[in-house]
Amino acid sequence: MVRWGMIIDLDKCTGCQACSLACASENNLPTSRPEEVRRRREVEWNEILTISFGEVKIPLPRLCMHCDIAACVKVCPTGSRFYYDEGRIVLQSYDRCIGCRLCMCACPYNANYFIWSHPEEEYSFKLNSDMVVIEGLGRVGPNLYVSGTPQKCIFCFHRLVRLKIDLENKRAGVLSSVITGEASWEAVGKAIDILMRYLIDPDNSEITGITHEIRYLPACVATCPSRARIFGDLDDENSLVAKMAKSPRAFKLLEELGTEPKVIYLAPKGGGVET
Amino acid sequence: MRREDVVDISISPVIKTTPKFYVAFIILLILVVLGFLAYITQFIYGHGVTGLNSNVIWGSYIAVFIFFIAISMSGTLVSALLRITRAKWGTTIARLAEMITASAFIIAVLQILIDIGRPDRILHAIIWGRLQSPITWDIFVIMTYAVASYIYLYITMIPDLALIWREGRVKGLIAQLYQILSINWIGTKEQVTRLNKAIKILAVMLIPTAVAFHSIVSWILAMLNRPGWHTTVMGPDFVTAAIYSAMAILIVIIWIFTKTVDGASKLIKEIHFRYLGYLLFVSCLALIYMKICHILTEYYGGEEMHVKVLNSLLFGDWAPVFWGFMILSLIGPAVILPVILFREKLSVNGLFVMSVLIIVGLYLDRLYLVASPLSITYLPYPYVSYTPTLVEISLLIASFSGFALIYLVLIKVFPSVCIWETTSEGEGGINLIEVRREELFSNPLPRLILILSIICYVILMYIIVRFFIIPIYVPEGYVALSETFKLAAVPVAIVVSIAWISIMYSAYQLVKISEVGE
């Protein structure tokens, strides 16, 4: 059983917004006009907030926390917001949602974004067609401009599914030769961990020649120039992400609300005070 | 008062169409059509035409929904409660109150359709409904309460319809409608007992259902972990506000009724206004108590987020709305109502004006209750407030006009005063009409109601039981926790099933009433 999680090292994050941009182009997010941004109508699955940490203000990337006890899943009247069994990612079916927006009210992180109007034709050229469809639930993959429904970060679920399919068909390049045996979700977790270690420190990596396979990582993780983000299987004790989650610097956003988020932040060293 | 006079007043709107009616009808119709155009705009361009944003995602529509749900309390409260306590003064205005419930429900349900982003998928909430969600509880309980209210309105009307039709007071289509609806009522002893049984069980059941109903509507907000919503006082607050707004709207309605219908002032006298005024005053004080409970405890507790919400309410962006509500609905009435009520000569017009102001204030109350906690976010997002746009305002106006329009049509078609209760003074001596057995005919209507209610009950129970048994997307290791939330639906399921049993029982009594001549 895998349990996808992400570490964001606030010490490394420079607030460059590259993750937001990568997310927007990967997930077909609509561009917004200035007046829409002023009215908070923009769609930004990965948003950079500014928080005070000690005496300094630091950037804080906020994506969907993929909570283990998600408030949005609890209140959804149709089950269109659900946990994906393998990996406990919180996903949303675009085809089932009735647009009641109770999930947006329930989420303490305000991680949901409503699609306010119908798709504009000018965006259609850049649609990512790597759509995930779950039987009985409909489309859950990258943003679809389904107007009148809220949507949010999916941990680039379509990329993980793509990796699994490629492992099954032995098409994942070097990864296919490294990961042997059945292409289970655990195997996907191991593959992701190999990619992650390679991304963080390519010089000391045991396995090389997987630069092209970085595309299987979530867009924001693959993009981050300062390597502040680490993605992986929290249940696998040997994975990078599980090790870093045990760091004394680790904290979760609004932990006291009991939502058990799977996005874990590493506080800046020295409590944020510049040394 | 003689029976003939009561009948005259009761059906005078039905048989006489004054120019006033046409003027009111056309004005209301134009406003409703304008609102419909506004809705078409929203349907075409999406929710972007509203004033909502990513933070304040619920606004005027939900406020109007809660407001009309609150108004629907009037039928239950006045009619059922006064009938159980045998308060005789209530019988003349009971029908008018029940009609408020009947009209308010239609508008409230329409608000949900206006509010949700995908009205074309509304059936998904029933096909794939999850028992964990407060919205599913709402759907169950609204269905139940609406059906119970409509049946209650209909059952109390049967002897009147029979009387008016058999005396030949109405003609044409309305006479035919009355004939069908009066299901062979001839006023035999058996019929009277059965009718009283049905009314009593519905009235007794309606009151706890109403309390549960308004609490469950409040749980849509209160169940979420949002400062400003997540308080236990939300349920009692909603019930109290429901009683309060129901009283206010009833005073407005009966004031208009006495002014426009000939001879109505002979029936609805100062005493009705006075008693309703007392109830209005008491519920005003109760609501003040609820608000103090809410604001004082949260302020004193001093939790950061709660204080932030209250600050925006009391001194911040929402202050005009909040203090508007406080002055119009709480402080103003608490000061002025005693002056009006405890004078020897009651100023009916003063009471009417007060009621209108209270209704406006209570809408503001619902608006800030829904929207203000959303504008305060846990994380440091840019602050945005919420202002309703033209589309939302025209839909608000259209909702009130639509309510008045439906009410007008109900008054125009059905007798507006309960004749048999007003004249027989509650002794069960309902007008016996000489009727030949051959005139009776087999009427399929009661059987239809019974069969439909049984089908509804079976479907409802099937849904509830199925949801309890089949888990939906529960990951391993989290089964217990996720399933526990289903238990929150147990009180709702109990209320709904008990209410449906009494609905089916009344439908069965209707069948027995119609079979008397066979």
Side-chain angles (χ1 to χ4, degrees):
Chain A
M1 200 76 180
V2 289
R3 194 163 147 265
W4 300 117
M6 193 185 281
I7 305 278
I8 300 178
D9 193 340
L10 296 180
D11 225 12
K12 288 183 182 168
C13 178
T14 58
C16 68
Q17 304 265 12
C19 45
S20 297
L21 208 57
C23 178
S25 55
E26 174 67 22
N27 290 304
N28 314 330
L29 300 188
T31 50
S32 311
R33 290 184 290 278
E35 68 266 22
E36 284 177 328
V37 176
R38 223 170 292 129
R39 294 174 69 189
R40 257 190 84 64
R41 289 275 185 85
E42 79 275 25
V43 178
E44 217 181 338
W45 286 3
N46 182 92
E47 202 166 335
I48 311 286
L49 304 172
T50 309
I51 60 159
S52 310
F53 218 101
E55 289 168 19
V56 289
K57 292 201 163 176
I58 56 166
L60 178 104
R62 196 277 303 117
L63 57 160
C64 174
M65 299 289 151
H66 292 276
C67 311
D68 275 349
I69 307 169
C72 55
V73 176
K74 190 159 70 177
V75 299
C76 181
T78 60
S80 79
R81 191 58 70 85
F82 62 99
Y83 301 109
Y84 187 68
D85 295 17
E86 301 288 341
R88 288 178 206 158
I89 295 183
V90 178
L91 291 177
Q92 167 156 10
S93 154
Y94 297 157
D95 294 330
R96 189 184 275 195
C97 176
I98 58 168
C100 69
R101 315 196 285 291
L102 195 61
C103 49
M104 301 185 74
C105 298
C107 179
Y109 307 99
N110 289 46
N112 298 285
Y113 292 89
F114 193 66
I115 303 296
W116 294 98
S117 53
H118 294 278
E120 293 176 37
E121 283 175 10
E122 52 179 299
Y123 299 131
S124 58
F125 70 92
K126 67 162 195 178
L127 283 184
N128 181 353
S129 56
D130 214 0
M131 179 59 65
V132 182
V133 181
I134 294 180
E135 206 180 325
L137 272 163
R139 295 166 294 182
V140 300
N143 188 3
L144 251 185
Y145 293 114
V146 180
S147 84
T149 59
Q151 341 207 303
K152 64 165 195 65
C153 162
I154 54 171
F155 261 3
C156 283
F157 182 60
H158 51 290
R159 290 187 168 203
L160 301 175
V161 173
R162 175 66 66 199
L163 174 57
K164 184 161 185 279
I165 293 169
D166 282 357
L167 282 177
E168 272 169 17
N169 300 332
K170 305 280 178 200
R171 278 191 310 191
V174 183
L175 283 178
S176 291
S177 55
V178 177
I179 308 289
T180 48
E182 199 193 345
S184 60
W185 278 103
E186 279 80 4
V188 175
K190 286 201 177 66
I192 289 284
D193 198 48
I194 290 168
L195 287 171
M196 209 59 241
R197 282 172 197 275
Y198 177 74
L199 188 70
I200 295 290
D201 196 358
D203 300 337
N204 295 328
S205 175
E206 294 166 19
I207 300 149
T208 49
I210 47 173
T211 317
H212 192 57
E213 276 68 42
I214 297 296
R215 71 180 192 279
Y216 292 123
L217 289 170
C220 53
V221 177
T223 303
C224 187
S226 58
R227 305 283 179 257
R229 294 181 183 233
I230 294 129
F231 184 73
D233 178 6
L234 283 170
D235 273 4
D236 180 4
E237 285 183 8
N238 299 319
S239 73
L240 202 56
V241 73
K243 278 178 186 158
M244 294 188 87
K246 288 186 191 115
S247 154
R249 293 198 288 142
F251 75 97
K252 295 167 184 169
L253 270 189
L254 305 178
E255 217 167 344
E256 67 276 13
L257 297 180
T259 52
E260 311 248 337
K262 287 201 284 288
V263 174
I264 298 159
Y265 293 85
L266 298 186
K269 289 178 189 116
V273 183
E274 285 169 276
T275 48
Chain B
M1 203 160 180
R2 281 167 54 242
R3 197 177 78 194
E4 284 73 26
D5 295 336
V6 181
V7 176
D8 280 341
I9 297 162
S10 184
I11 60 167
S12 97
V14 182
I15 48 180
K16 265 186 288 180
T17 313
T18 54
K20 265 188 257 170
F21 170 80
Y22 286 119
V23 171
F25 190 84
I26 287 165
I27 290 174
L28 291 173
L29 200 63
I30 288 169
L31 290 174
V32 169
V33 168
L34 284 179
F36 187 70
L37 291 180
Y39 179 67
I40 294 282
T41 323
Q42 184 188 303
F43 195 81
I44 293 170
Y45 295 107
H47 273 55
V49 297
T50 62
L52 303 167
N53 51 60
S54 291
N55 289 2
V56 187
I57 194 66
W58 276 2
S60 178
Y61 298 149
I62 296 285
V64 177
F65 163 70
I66 296 172
F67 181 81
F68 276 99
I69 287 291
I71 280 181
S72 72
M73 185 77 160
S74 66
T76 324
L77 189 87
V78 175
S79 178
L81 199 63
L82 296 186
R83 198 166 264 139
I84 288 172
T85 52
R86 289 167 197 277
K88 297 234 175 59
W89 61 274
T91 52
T92 42
I93 53 172
R95 179 76 46 77
L96 291 169
E98 285 156 26
M99 282 176 173
I100 293 176
T101 309
S103 329
F105 259 122
I106 296 171
I107 302 296
V109 171
L110 281 178
Q111 292 304 318
I112 299 178
L113 288 178
I114 293 170
D115 176 70
I116 64 172
R118 298 297 299 231
D120 51 320
R121 295 180 182 169
I122 184 70
L123 276 180
H124 290 197
I126 295 164
I127 301 169
W128 285 302
R130 289 170 76 243
L131 268 195
Q132 286 94 326
S133 171
I135 287 189
T136 311
W137 311 342
D138 254 41
I139 292 169
F140 286 165
V141 84
I142 287 178
M143 262 170 65
T144 310
Y145 191 62
V147 170
S149 300
Y150 284 117
I151 288 188
Y152 187 65
L153 172 66
Y154 169 54
I155 285 184
T156 52
M157 211 186 269
I158 291 170
D160 294 354
L161 295 174
L163 173 78
I164 293 165
W165 171 61
R166 288 193 191 280
E167 285 190 351
R169 302 291 288 265
V170 285
K171 288 175 186 67
L173 272 176
I174 293 196
Q176 279 179 14
L177 181 73
Y178 282 18
Q179 184 189 4
I180 295 166
L181 289 182
S182 62
I183 52 163
N184 291 342
W185 177 270
I186 49 173
T188 63
K189 212 162 206 171
E190 193 204 342
Q191 281 183 329
V192 173
T193 6
R194 286 196 183 278
L195 188 80
N196 278 332
K197 260 188 199 167
I199 288 175
K200 242 176 227 160
I201 192 146
L202 268 182
V204 168
M205 183 278 308
L206 263 175
I207 291 162
T209 314
V211 174
F213 173 58
H214 292 284
S215 309
I216 289 163
V217 169
S218 85
W219 287 349
I220 292 188
L221 311 181
M223 287 282 170
L224 308 184
N225 198 346
R226 279 246 169 215
W229 282 359
H230 189 57
T231 63
T232 44
V233 83
M234 211 56 142
D237 180 299
F238 268 49
V239 176
T240 320
I243 297 171
Y244 194 29
S245 52
M247 286 300 127
I249 197 107
L250 189 58
I251 288 174
V252 171
I253 292 276
I254 65 170
W255 185 87
I256 297 172
F257 189 75
T258 50
K259 294 288 168 193
T260 50
V261 175
D262 297 337
S265 48
K266 273 185 271 171
L267 209 59
I268 297 169
K269 298 192 190 95
E270 196 194 300
I271 188 159
H272 295 100
F273 285 99
R274 190 176 281 278
Y275 285 175
L276 286 178
Y278 290 153
L279 284 171
L280 190 72
F281 182 53
V282 170
S283 43
C284 171
L285 295 181
L287 194 61
I288 290 175
Y289 166 65
M290 297 294 165
K291 294 294 169 194
I292 288 175
C293 278
H294 183 180
I295 291 169
L296 221 53
T297 49
E298 290 203 345
Y299 238 123
Y300 197 93
E303 207 179 312
E304 190 195 351
M305 286 298 292
H306 290 252
V307 172
K308 264 190 196 168
V309 171
L310 287 178
N311 277 341
S312 87
L313 213 60
L314 267 65
F315 318 109
D317 250 23
W318 289 93
V321 179
F322 178 74
W323 290 109
F325 153 70
M326 285 298 269
I327 290 163
L328 288 175
S329 299
L330 293 187
I331 301 168
V335 174
I336 300 169
L337 274 181
V339 180
I340 295 177
L341 288 170
F342 298 111
R343 274 211 311 233
E344 198 121 314
K345 177 92 175 71
L346 178 81
S347 161
V348 174
N349 295 343
L351 197 62
F352 167 72
V353 173
M354 282 308 299
S355 302
V356 172
L357 294 180
I358 286 168
I359 288 168
V360 174
L362 279 168
Y363 167 71
L364 297 179
D365 173 40
R366 304 293 102 173
L367 185 63
Y368 85 72
L369 215 54
V370 168
S372 78
L374 289 170
S375 65
I376 307 294
T377 52
Y378 276 104
L379 299 178
Y381 290 100
Y383 177 81
V384 277
S385 194
Y386 164 73
T387 327
T389 55
L390 197 62
V391 170
E392 284 167 295
I393 290 167
S394 39
L395 273 166
L396 167 71
I397 295 168
S399 302
F400 277 86
S401 315
F403 168 73
L405 194 66
I406 296 168
Y407 198 86
L408 207 61
V409 170
L410 281 178
I411 290 274
K412 190 79 192 125
V413 173
F414 294 109
S416 44
V417 176
C418 197
I419 302 161
W420 63 277
E421 277 193 311
T422 312
T423 48
S424 67
E425 314 238 316
E427 304 202 347
I430 303 168
N431 38 74
L432 268 166
I433 305 154
E434 290 296 319
V435 62
R436 291 199 305 278
R437 290 270 159 180
E438 302 90 73
E439 279 181 18
L440 300 173
F441 64 105
S442 173
N443 195 330
L445 185 72
R447 280 197 187 82
L448 199 68
I449 294 173
L450 180 63
I451 290 166
L452 279 181
S453 60
I454 289 173
I455 290 172
C456 279
Y457 180 72
V458 169
I459 291 173
L460 215 63
M461 285 300 116
Y462 168 72
I463 291 172
I464 290 175
V465 170
R466 193 193 70 181
F467 288 162
F468 265 114
I469 293 168
I470 304 171
I472 304 172
Y473 292 107
V474 185
E476 204 178 296
Y478 288 82
V479 172
L481 189 80
S482 191
E483 293 295 279
T484 321
F485 293 123
K486 275 186 186 175
L487 292 178
V490 168
V492 182
I494 292 173
V495 167
V496 165
S497 45
I498 292 175
W500 271 100
I501 288 170
S502 53
I503 290 170
M504 287 189 296
Y505 178 78
S506 336
Y508 167 74
Q509 296 294 0
L510 281 184
V511 173
K512 284 285 163 196
I513 287 171
S514 75
E515 275 172 355
V516 71
E518 289 165 11

